[in-house]
Structure formats: C-alpha cells, structure tokens
Amino acid sequence: MEQVVISDHARFEMDRRHIDEEVVLKVAHNPEQVLTAGKGRLVHQGKYHDPVEAREMLLRVVLERRAGELHVVTVYKTSRIDKYWRREVQEQE
C-alpha cells in the first residue's frame, strides 16, 4: 500500500471544512471511484456519513503520485453527489 502524505494546504482545508484525517486516509487508500484530473492528478472519491452535516456526503481527495507516494494536494466534501459521481469509471490501475 502506498504511503499517503498530506500537504499543509490539504491539512488547512481539512480543518476549515471539518473533515477528519481518518476519512481522508480511508478514501485515499480505498476509493470507491478514481477519476483523472488536470496536471496528471487523480481524484479519489467516496461517499460517507458526515457527522457535522448529519447526512451523506461525497469526499473528493485530489492526489499526485510522487516517488511511490500519494501526495494529497487538497480535499473537499460536497452534498452534490450526483454532480461528481460517475456511473461508469475506468478501471483502477
């Protein structure tokens, strides 16, 4: 399993958006979906119950692969699951 390194910016956003590190690491390691993004980045995403919002949310973890590690660039949650959830996603690597 690749090591996950969380950037200072991502930690700032996690704090500001009230997202637990445990949930970020879970989605980074075991995403329900993996999408490609610009600049060679990946978006790992997964649904979870958010205790702050008291409802199901989608967590999106934006990552870069560097020297065998996954670097978390930023992270955010959204209630607009249908906007980001892909019915058909390419197979994971």
Side-chain angles (χ1 to χ4, degrees):
M1 181 181 316
E2 292 175 291
Q3 180 179 349
V4 175
V5 178
I6 301 174
S7 70
D8 291 341
H9 172 76
R11 287 194 184 280
F12 172 80
E13 294 300 333
M14 289 163 56
D15 184 53
R16 185 173 74 86
R17 296 170 171 158
H18 307 287
I19 302 170
D20 290 334
E21 182 174 341
E22 178 181 332
V23 178
V24 172
L25 292 174
K26 180 181 176 188
V27 171
H29 283 298
N30 298 302
E32 291 178 60
Q33 290 188 342
V34 177
L35 307 174
T36 56
K39 300 180 183 178
R41 293 178 174 168
L42 300 171
V43 179
H44 286 196
Q45 55 186 29
K47 299 174 189 175
Y48 75 107
H49 179 79
D50 187 281
V52 175
E53 302 290 333
R55 63 180 164 167
E56 184 178 54
M57 301 288 283
L58 180 66
L59 183 66
R60 304 191 83 217
V61 181
V62 180
L63 302 156
E64 291 178 349
R65 274 206 170 93
R66 299 183 197 160
E69 297 177 331
L70 292 173
H71 285 255
V72 178
V73 176
T74 194
V75 59
Y76 61 97
K77 61 185 177 182
T78 180
S79 61
R80 298 178 65 190
I81 296 170
D82 289 340
K83 178 179 178 178
Y84 298 101
W85 196 256
R86 300 294 178 249
R87 297 199 193 292
E88 295 182 26
V89 178
Q90 294 176 339
E91 291 292 318
Q92 291 180 332
E93 294 178 25

